[in-house]
Amino acid sequence: MKINVLARLALGVAALSLTGPALSQAAGPRYGKFGIDLTSEDKSVKPGDDFWSYVNGSWAKKVEIAPDRASAGFGTKLTDEAEVAVHAILNDMAKNPAQFGLKGQQIGDLYASWMDEAGIEARGTAPLKPWLARFAAADDREKLQALFMEPGIASPVDIGIIPDLADPTQYTAFASQGTLGMARDYYLLEGEKYDAFRKAYRAYVEQMLTLAGIADASAKADRIVAFETAMAKVHWTPAQNRDIPAIYKPMDRAGMAKLAPEFDWPMMMKVAGLESMPKMIMGNDTALAALGKMFAEVPVSTWQDWMAFHFISSNAPYLPRAFDDAAFNFYQKTLSGTPQKRERWKRGVQLVNGALGEAVGEIYVARHYPPESSAKMKELIADLRASLDERLKENQWMDPATKAKALAKLAAFDPRVGYPVKWIDYSKMKIVRGDILANMASAREWQHQYQLSLLGKPVDRDLWSMTPQTVNAYYNPLANQITFPAAILQAPYFDPKADPAVNYGAIGAIIGHEIGHGFDDQGSQFGPTGKFQNWWTPEAKAAFGKRTAALVEQYNGYEPIPGTKINGKLTLGENIGDLGGIEMAYGAYQRYQAKHGKAPVIGGLTGDQRFFLSYAQAWQTKVREDAERQRLLTDPHSPAKYRVNGIVRNVDAWYKAFNVKPGDKLYLPPEQRVSIW
């Protein structure tokens, strides 16, 4: 069972996707003389031809992506720094867990179990064998379906709980298409590159089965890959998964049985702990219907082998090194182009953050988060809200009725900054030293039971979907909330010692981005309380559609990798967030100047120039080609370069700030520039 299906589909939080320690205590800003590292610029490039390269080009030419990373840039750098801070916490807990109580014992013992490589090697495949025996014993379709619903086991159908779109104060059950070993398009796209990926995947499946001592691994690998290819053909695409009306198909038991009668829905819901739910949202309904037919037709033995392979693969890091290396070589080295595995302690930080994230986060905040950061962020957020409020009131394409609803939604925004007001209690999670595989199974079971404990209660709006030590931010449409974890509130995104233009151009645009998700192509389908509802008149919706279609068309034309273009429909929500974010932030910066006086020229740069330079600097990112290809096929975020160039060319103030003229490569005639919010 995959309780947390929400983030996988259109209904999930809209995260910023940036790819630490306390704020810099130096006398001045962390970067440059006023918050921007001008040595990263490439002055041989005209701003109007390639603004991202103008700001970041020299950096891009000289920076080398770390061998254990798929990308380099500020997001990666700050994440690395946050890992160092968390590593110190884990070491303290592991050395003397009793000193820190139950929380210290859990954190310390989980981390120590992960770092015990010698013990993992000594135990070999013994911890895996009871699981393989369970798959072997699932020799009929009823037993298969029962196993499908257990935490950590692959299933053709994921079933979980989410807030009900029709009433986001209450939880409901949700079913969606399930597990594949690669992203859908890797099974289906033509060309030598994808042929090579498929060949490597088939070899990986065989290797994992062989390492686990499973007989006839070659023939089983052939069947598993052929089976998954058939599954991929019926799965919805990432772009389709953003179509909320298509996904929101609530059905009662009779409706489920009619859609996919091959599955025993009452039994699966009972095993999943959801028998009390009178209905279930059947997301990906056509895929579920097709998967039901496959469930009835595919031999039981193939399902058993498929579950065994995926369990081995997903738990490879907790098994002897041969398993871990095989998983790294395929998923990171082959698919992402990352040549070197990350140091074990770094992966241990990720593991403990995933299992006990808020327990670690509570300590991280106490050690590394200055309380004044929250106060400064609240002021920035207030300016951004006021900026959008003004823009909405001046909006010319939205009729008064829809405008009033938009203003009501903005007024209802709930911003959260730094860390949760209450921390998750992990005391019932059983963690012991000596068996990392068992500990991770325990963590999955705890998460399962924790989610089930929410049933029958009002949706808890105080819960967070990211830990405080995460360098990112997100918007949740079902709660109308924007959230900024502590770790993102650092330079270059936010630096209290930097020039205000820098903060408004960086964290200001990030705040605006997240607010903008409430009014993107998905978020605009939810009302002030997070309810899925239409608050648009037909005329306003048509005007909105015309503008968003123009943005889709712009992004469809960008080709970051030869032969692989940006999918403008898949990335539309994030592109709207970026465009609305920078426009809101620019308006907020003008409000700041109205209160504090016109910005001075610093280093020959006007305030407006520093604002846009800061925005572009925040997207200083370099990505390996294979990783970029993966993201282009699956990620709703555009590559960093196009989050700059594709956005600023639509902003009138940027043209004036950098004297961009017809003939410059990024120049768009005023009538072709998209302005939504």
Side-chain angles (χ1 to χ4, degrees), residues 72 98 110 284 433 445 458 482 532 568 608 649:
L110 181 59
N284 314 124
R433 291 204 179 200
E445 178 60 27
I482 50 176
F532 180 52
D608 279 14
R649 67 190 312 218

Side-chain angles (χ1 to χ4, degrees), residues 236-243 522 567 569-570 633:
W236 287 21
T237 67
Q240 286 176 306
N241 278 332
R242 300 187 72 254
D243 186 346
Q522 291 183 303
N567 183 334
K569 188 174 181 180
L570 172 62
L633 294 176

Side-chain angles (χ1 to χ4, degrees), residues 11-222:
L11 313 181
V13 297
L16 179 67
S17 185
L18 292 161
T19 234
L23 292 167
S24 171
Q25 297 302 308
R30 184 172 180 182
Y31 294 103
K33 294 182 179 180
F34 54 86
I36 297 174
D37 179 12
L38 297 178
T39 66
S40 294
E41 292 183 339
D42 184 350
K43 289 295 184 66
S44 70
V45 178
K46 288 180 64 177
D49 285 345
D50 181 348
F51 192 61
W52 184 92
S53 294
Y54 173 76
V55 178
N56 301 303
S58 291
W59 169 84
K61 290 176 183 176
K62 63 188 178 185
V63 73
E64 296 290 337
I65 299 174
D68 65 346
R69 284 291 198 180
S71 64
F74 282 122
T76 303
K77 183 176 186 292
L78 293 182
T79 297
D80 288 345
E81 292 175 355
E83 285 181 348
V84 171
V86 172
H87 186 215
I89 294 170
L90 302 189
N91 275 337
D92 288 346
M93 305 293 125
K95 288 176 183 175
N96 188 5
Q99 178 182 345
F100 301 97
L102 177 59
K103 187 185 304 179
Q105 177 267 313
Q106 291 173 310
I107 294 172
D109 286 353
L110 181 59
Y111 182 64
S113 298
W114 164 257
M115 294 300 294
D116 182 19
E117 293 181 83
I120 293 171
E121 291 296 325
R123 286 187 290 276
T125 59
L128 182 63
K129 289 180 179 177
W131 294 95
L132 298 182
R134 295 190 66 202
F135 302 134
D139 54 5
D140 63 41
R141 298 187 195 278
E142 182 177 359
K143 294 175 183 175
L144 286 174
Q145 291 178 90
L147 273 183
F148 287 159
M149 294 298 101
E150 292 194 19
I153 294 179
S155 170
V157 179
D158 286 349
I159 297 181
I161 65 168
I162 64 170
D164 192 336
L165 277 69
D167 180 6
T169 67
Q170 302 295 322
Y171 290 104
T172 190
F174 186 98
S176 66
Q177 61 196 25
T179 304
L180 289 174
M182 298 188 292
R184 171 190 179 275
D185 286 352
Y186 278 70
Y187 296 89
L188 307 177
L189 289 176
E190 297 180 354
E192 292 183 7
K193 192 76 175 176
Y194 296 99
D195 289 341
F197 287 141
R198 287 186 281 270
K199 182 178 179 181
Y201 180 57
R202 187 247 169 249
Y204 170 68
V205 176
E206 180 179 353
Q207 183 181 15
M208 280 302 196
L209 296 175
T210 301
L211 287 171
I214 295 175
D216 200 17
S218 178
K220 289 178 179 178
D222 286 337

Side-chain angles (χ1 to χ4, degrees), residues 426-441:
Y426 298 96
S427 59
K428 293 183 180 179
M429 186 187 301
K430 183 179 179 181
I431 301 293
V432 296
R433 291 204 179 200
D435 191 342
I436 185 62
L437 182 64
N439 282 336
M440 295 312 296

Side-chain angles (χ1 to χ4, degrees), residues 52 619-623 628 638-645:
W52 184 92
W619 292 111
Q620 189 178 99
T621 307
K622 188 174 183 178
V623 183
E628 190 86 289
S638 298
K641 183 174 183 177
Y642 300 91
R643 299 187 75 166
V644 176
N645 289 350

Side-chain angles (χ1 to χ4, degrees), residues 433-472:
R433 291 204 179 200
D435 191 342
I436 185 62
L437 182 64
N439 282 336
M440 295 312 296
S442 177
R444 288 191 293 267
E445 178 60 27
W446 177 89
Q447 176 68 15
H448 175 89
Q449 294 300 327
Y450 173 75
Q451 294 287 328
L452 290 178
S453 73
L454 302 176
L455 290 176
K457 303 172 185 174
V459 169
D460 188 346
R461 291 176 56 86
D462 291 331
L463 295 178
W464 279 40
S465 296
M466 285 180 182
T467 66
Q469 60 271 31
T470 301
V471 182
N472 214 324

Side-chain angles (χ1 to χ4, degrees), residues 344-368:
R344 192 165 184 87
W345 72 262
K346 295 178 180 178
R347 295 193 293 143
V349 166
Q350 293 177 319
L351 179 145
V352 179
N353 276 339
L356 293 161
E358 288 197 13
V360 176
E362 187 175 0
I363 303 167
Y364 173 87
V365 166
R367 293 188 182 185
H368 297 287

